[in-house]
Coordinates of all heavy atoms in Angstrom, one line a residue:
N926 N 89.1 117.8 116.4 CA 89.3 116.6 115.6 C 88.5 116.7 114.4 O 87.2 116.9 114.5 CB 89.0 115.4 116.5 CG 89.9 115.2 117.6 OD1 91.1 115.4 117.5 ND2 89.3 114.9 118.8
I927 N 89.1 116.5 113.2 CA 88.4 116.5 111.9 C 88.6 115.2 111.3 O 89.8 114.7 111.1 CB 89.0 117.6 111.0 CG1 88.9 119.0 111.7 CG2 88.3 117.6 109.7 CD1 89.7 120.1 111.1
G928 N 87.5 114.5 110.9 CA 87.6 113.3 110.1 C 87.0 113.4 108.7 O 86.0 114.1 108.6
V929 N 87.7 112.8 107.8 CA 87.2 112.8 106.4 C 87.0 111.4 106.0 O 88.0 110.6 106.0 CB 88.2 113.5 105.4 CG1 87.7 113.5 104.0 CG2 88.5 115.0 105.9
F930 N 85.8 111.0 105.6 CA 85.5 109.7 105.2 C 85.0 109.7 103.8 O 83.9 110.3 103.5 CB 84.4 109.1 106.2 CG 84.8 109.2 107.6 CD1 84.4 110.2 108.4 CD2 85.7 108.3 108.1 CE1 84.8 110.4 109.7 CE2 86.1 108.4 109.5 CZ 85.6 109.4 110.3
A931 N 85.7 109.1 102.9 CA 85.4 109.1 101.5 C 85.4 107.7 100.9 O 86.2 106.9 101.4 CB 86.4 110.0 100.7
S932 N 84.6 107.5 99.9 CA 84.6 106.2 99.2 C 84.3 106.4 97.7 O 83.8 107.4 97.3 CB 83.6 105.2 99.9 OG 82.3 105.7 99.7
D933 N 84.5 105.4 97.0 CA 84.3 105.4 95.5 C 83.9 103.9 95.1 O 84.4 103.0 95.8 CB 85.5 105.9 94.8 CG 85.3 106.0 93.3 OD1 84.6 106.9 92.9 OD2 85.8 105.1 92.5
N934 N 83.2 103.8 94.0 CA 82.8 102.5 93.6 C 84.0 101.7 93.0 O 83.9 100.5 92.9 CB 81.6 102.5 92.6 CG 81.9 103.2 91.4 OD1 82.8 104.1 91.3 ND2 81.2 102.9 90.3
V935 N 85.1 102.4 92.6 CA 86.2 101.7 92.1 C 87.4 101.9 93.0 O 87.9 101.0 93.7 CB 86.6 102.2 90.6 CG1 87.8 101.5 90.1 CG2 85.4 101.9 89.7
A936 N 88.0 103.2 93.0 CA 89.1 103.5 93.9 C 89.3 105.0 94.0 O 89.1 105.7 93.1 CB 90.4 102.8 93.3
L937 N 89.7 105.4 95.2 CA 90.1 106.8 95.4 C 91.5 106.9 95.0 O 92.4 106.1 95.3 CB 89.9 107.2 96.9 CG 88.5 107.3 97.4 CD1 88.4 107.5 98.9 CD2 87.8 108.5 96.7
S938 N 91.8 108.1 94.4 CA 93.3 108.3 94.2 C 93.8 109.3 95.2 O 95.0 109.3 95.5 CB 93.5 108.9 92.7 OG 92.8 110.1 92.6
S939 N 93.0 110.2 95.7 CA 93.5 111.1 96.8 C 92.3 111.7 97.6 O 91.2 111.9 97.0 CB 94.4 112.2 96.2 OG 93.6 113.1 95.5
V940 N 92.6 112.0 98.8 CA 91.7 112.8 99.7 C 92.6 113.9 100.3 O 93.6 113.5 100.9 CB 91.0 111.9 100.7 CG1 90.1 112.8 101.6 CG2 90.2 110.8 100.1
T941 N 92.1 115.1 100.3 CA 92.9 116.2 100.8 C 92.1 117.1 101.7 O 90.9 117.4 101.4 CB 93.5 117.1 99.7 OG1 94.2 116.2 98.8 CG2 94.5 118.1 100.2
L942 N 92.6 117.4 102.9 CA 91.9 118.3 103.9 C 92.6 119.6 103.9 O 93.8 119.7 104.0 CB 91.9 117.6 105.2 CG 91.4 118.5 106.4 CD1 89.9 118.7 106.3 CD2 91.8 117.9 107.7
Y943 N 91.8 120.7 103.8 CA 92.3 122.0 103.9 C 91.7 122.8 105.0 O 90.5 122.6 105.3 CB 91.9 122.8 102.6 CG 92.5 122.2 101.3 CD1 91.8 121.2 100.7 CD2 93.6 122.7 100.7 CE1 92.2 120.7 99.5 CE2 94.1 122.2 99.6 CZ 93.4 121.2 98.9 OH 93.9 120.6 97.8
V944 N 92.4 123.6 105.7 CA 91.8 124.6 106.6 C 92.3 126.0 106.1 O 93.5 126.2 106.0 CB 92.3 124.4 108.1 CG1 91.8 125.5 109.0 CG2 91.9 123.0 108.6
D945 N 91.3 126.8 105.8 CA 91.6 128.1 105.2 C 92.5 128.1 104.0 O 93.4 128.9 103.8 CB 92.1 129.1 106.3 CG 91.1 129.4 107.4 OD1 89.9 129.3 107.1 OD2 91.5 129.7 108.5
G946 N 92.3 127.1 103.1 CA 93.0 126.9 101.9 C 94.4 126.3 102.0 O 95.1 126.2 101.0
V947 N 94.8 125.9 103.2 CA 96.1 125.3 103.4 C 96.0 123.8 103.7 O 95.1 123.4 104.5 CB 96.8 126.0 104.6 CG1 98.1 125.3 104.9 CG2 97.0 127.5 104.4
V948 N 96.7 123.0 102.9 CA 96.7 121.6 103.1 C 97.1 121.2 104.5 O 98.2 121.6 104.9 CB 97.5 120.9 102.0 CG1 97.6 119.4 102.3 CG2 97.0 121.1 100.6
K949 N 96.3 120.4 105.2 CA 96.6 120.0 106.5 C 96.8 118.5 106.6 O 97.5 118.0 107.5 CB 95.5 120.4 107.5 CG 95.4 121.9 107.7 CD 96.6 122.5 108.2 CE 96.5 124.0 108.4 NZ 97.7 124.6 109.0
A950 N 96.2 117.7 105.7 CA 96.3 116.3 105.7 C 95.9 115.8 104.3 O 95.1 116.4 103.6 CB 95.5 115.6 106.8
S951 N 96.5 114.6 103.9 CA 96.1 114.0 102.7 C 96.4 112.5 102.7 O 97.2 112.1 103.6 CB 96.9 114.6 101.5 OG 98.2 114.4 101.6
G952 N 95.7 111.8 101.9 CA 95.9 110.3 101.8 C 95.1 109.8 100.7 O 94.6 110.5 99.8
T953 N 94.9 108.4 100.7 CA 94.2 107.8 99.7 C 92.9 107.1 100.2 O 92.3 106.3 99.5 CB 95.1 106.7 99.0 OG1 95.5 105.8 100.0 CG2 96.2 107.3 98.2
G954 N 92.6 107.4 101.4 CA 91.4 106.8 102.1 C 90.9 107.8 103.1 O 91.1 109.0 103.0
N955 N 90.3 107.3 104.2 CA 89.9 108.1 105.3 C 91.1 108.7 106.0 O 92.1 108.1 106.2 CB 89.0 107.3 106.3 CG 87.8 106.7 105.6 OD1 87.3 107.2 104.6 ND2 87.4 105.6 106.1
I956 N 90.9 110.0 106.3 CA 92.0 110.7 107.0 C 91.5 111.4 108.2 O 90.3 111.7 108.3 CB 92.7 111.7 106.1 CG1 91.7 112.7 105.5 CG2 93.5 111.0 105.0 CD1 92.4 113.8 104.6
S957 N 92.3 111.7 109.1 CA 92.0 112.5 110.3 C 93.1 113.5 110.6 O 94.2 113.3 110.3 CB 91.7 111.6 111.5 OG 92.9 110.9 111.9
Y958 N 92.7 114.6 111.3 CA 93.6 115.6 111.6 C 93.1 116.3 112.8 O 91.9 116.5 113.0 CB 93.6 116.6 110.4 CG 94.5 117.8 110.7 CD1 95.9 117.8 110.7 CD2 93.9 119.1 110.9 CE1 96.7 118.9 111.0 CE2 94.7 120.2 111.2 CZ 96.0 120.1 111.2 OH 96.8 121.2 111.4
T959 N 94.0 116.7 113.7 CA 93.6 117.5 114.9 C 94.1 118.9 114.6 O 95.3 119.2 114.5 CB 94.3 116.9 116.2 OG1 93.8 115.6 116.3 CG2 93.9 117.8 117.4
W960 N 93.2 119.9 114.5 CA 93.5 121.3 114.3 C 93.6 122.0 115.6 O 92.6 122.0 116.4 CB 92.4 121.9 113.4 CG 92.5 123.3 113.1 CD1 93.7 124.0 112.9 CD2 91.4 124.2 113.0 NE1 93.4 125.4 112.7 CE2 92.0 125.5 112.7 CE3 90.1 124.1 113.1 CZ2 91.2 126.7 112.6 CZ3 89.3 125.3 113.0 CH2 89.9 126.5 112.7
N961 N 94.7 122.7 115.9 CA 94.8 123.5 117.1 C 94.3 124.9 116.7 O 95.1 125.7 116.2 CB 96.3 123.5 117.5 CG 96.5 124.3 118.8 OD1 95.5 124.9 119.3 ND2 97.7 124.4 119.3
S962 N 93.0 125.1 117.0 CA 92.4 126.4 116.6 C 92.9 127.5 117.5 O 92.6 128.7 117.2 CB 90.9 126.3 116.7 OG 90.5 126.1 118.0
R963 N 93.6 127.2 118.6 CA 94.2 128.3 119.4 C 95.1 129.2 118.6 O 95.3 130.4 118.9 CB 94.9 127.8 120.6 CG 94.0 127.2 121.7 CD 94.8 126.7 122.9 NE 94.0 125.7 123.6 CZ 94.1 124.4 123.5 NH1 95.0 123.9 122.6 NH2 93.4 123.6 124.2
K964 N 95.8 128.6 117.6 CA 96.7 129.4 116.8 C 96.0 130.2 115.7 O 96.7 130.9 115.0 CB 97.7 128.4 116.2 CG 98.6 127.7 117.2 CD 99.6 126.8 116.6 CE 100.4 126.1 117.7 NZ 101.4 125.2 117.1
A965 N 94.7 130.0 115.5 CA 94.0 130.7 114.4 C 93.4 132.0 114.9 O 93.1 132.1 116.1 CB 92.9 129.8 113.9
A966 N 93.3 132.9 114.0 CA 92.7 134.2 114.4 C 91.2 134.1 114.7 O 90.6 133.1 114.2 CB 92.9 135.2 113.3
S967 N 90.6 135.0 115.5 CA 89.2 134.9 115.7 C 88.5 135.2 114.4 O 89.0 135.9 113.5 CB 88.8 136.0 116.7 OG 89.4 135.7 118.0
G968 N 87.3 134.6 114.3 CA 86.5 134.9 113.1 C 86.1 133.6 112.4 O 86.2 132.5 113.0
S969 N 85.8 133.7 111.1 CA 85.3 132.6 110.3 C 86.5 131.8 109.7 O 87.5 132.4 109.2 CB 84.4 133.1 109.2 OG 84.1 132.1 108.3
H970 N 86.4 130.5 109.7 CA 87.4 129.6 109.0 C 86.7 128.6 108.2 O 85.6 128.1 108.6 CB 88.3 128.9 110.1 CG 89.0 129.9 111.0 ND1 90.2 130.5 110.5 CD2 88.7 130.5 112.1 CE1 90.6 131.3 111.5 NE2 89.7 131.4 112.4
T971 N 87.3 128.2 107.1 CA 86.8 127.2 106.2 C 87.6 125.9 106.3 O 88.8 125.9 106.1 CB 86.8 127.7 104.7 OG1 86.1 128.9 104.6 CG2 86.2 126.7 103.8
V972 N 86.8 124.8 106.5 CA 87.4 123.5 106.5 C 86.8 122.8 105.3 O 85.6 122.7 105.1 CB 87.0 122.7 107.8 CG1 87.6 121.3 107.8 CG2 87.5 123.4 109.1
Q973 N 87.7 122.3 104.4 CA 87.3 121.7 103.2 C 88.0 120.4 102.9 O 89.2 120.3 103.2 CB 87.5 122.6 102.0 CG 87.1 122.1 100.7 CD 87.4 123.0 99.5 OE1 88.5 123.6 99.4 NE2 86.4 123.2 98.6
A974 N 87.3 119.4 102.4 CA 87.8 118.1 101.9 C 87.5 118.0 100.4 O 86.4 118.2 100.0 CB 87.2 117.0 102.7
I975 N 88.5 117.5 99.7 CA 88.4 117.2 98.3 C 88.8 115.8 98.0 O 89.9 115.4 98.4 CB 89.2 118.2 97.4 CG1 88.7 119.6 97.6 CG2 89.1 117.8 95.9 CD1 89.5 120.7 96.9
A976 N 87.9 115.0 97.4 CA 88.3 113.6 97.1 C 88.3 113.5 95.6 O 87.5 114.1 94.8 CB 87.2 112.7 97.6
R977 N 89.3 112.7 95.1 CA 89.5 112.4 93.7 C 89.5 110.9 93.5 O 90.1 110.2 94.2 CB 90.8 113.0 93.1 CG 90.8 114.5 93.1 CD 92.2 115.1 92.7 NE 92.2 116.5 92.7 CZ 92.3 117.3 93.7 NH1 92.4 116.8 94.9 NH2 92.3 118.7 93.6

Side-chain angles (χ1 to χ4, degrees):
N926 295 317
I927 302 168
V929 178
F930 306 96
S932 63
D933 185 73
N934 63 335
V935 178
L937 288 171
S938 61
S939 68
V940 179
T941 308
L942 173 70
Y943 301 84
V944 176
D945 294 332
V947 177
V948 174
K949 296 297 181 178
S951 62
T953 56
N955 298 334
I956 56 176
S957 62
Y958 175 74
T959 300
W960 174 40
N961 182 355
S962 68
R963 289 182 200 96
K964 296 180 179 181
S967 294
S969 175
H970 299 277
T971 302
V972 178
Q973 181 181 44
I975 299 176
R977 291 176 179 79

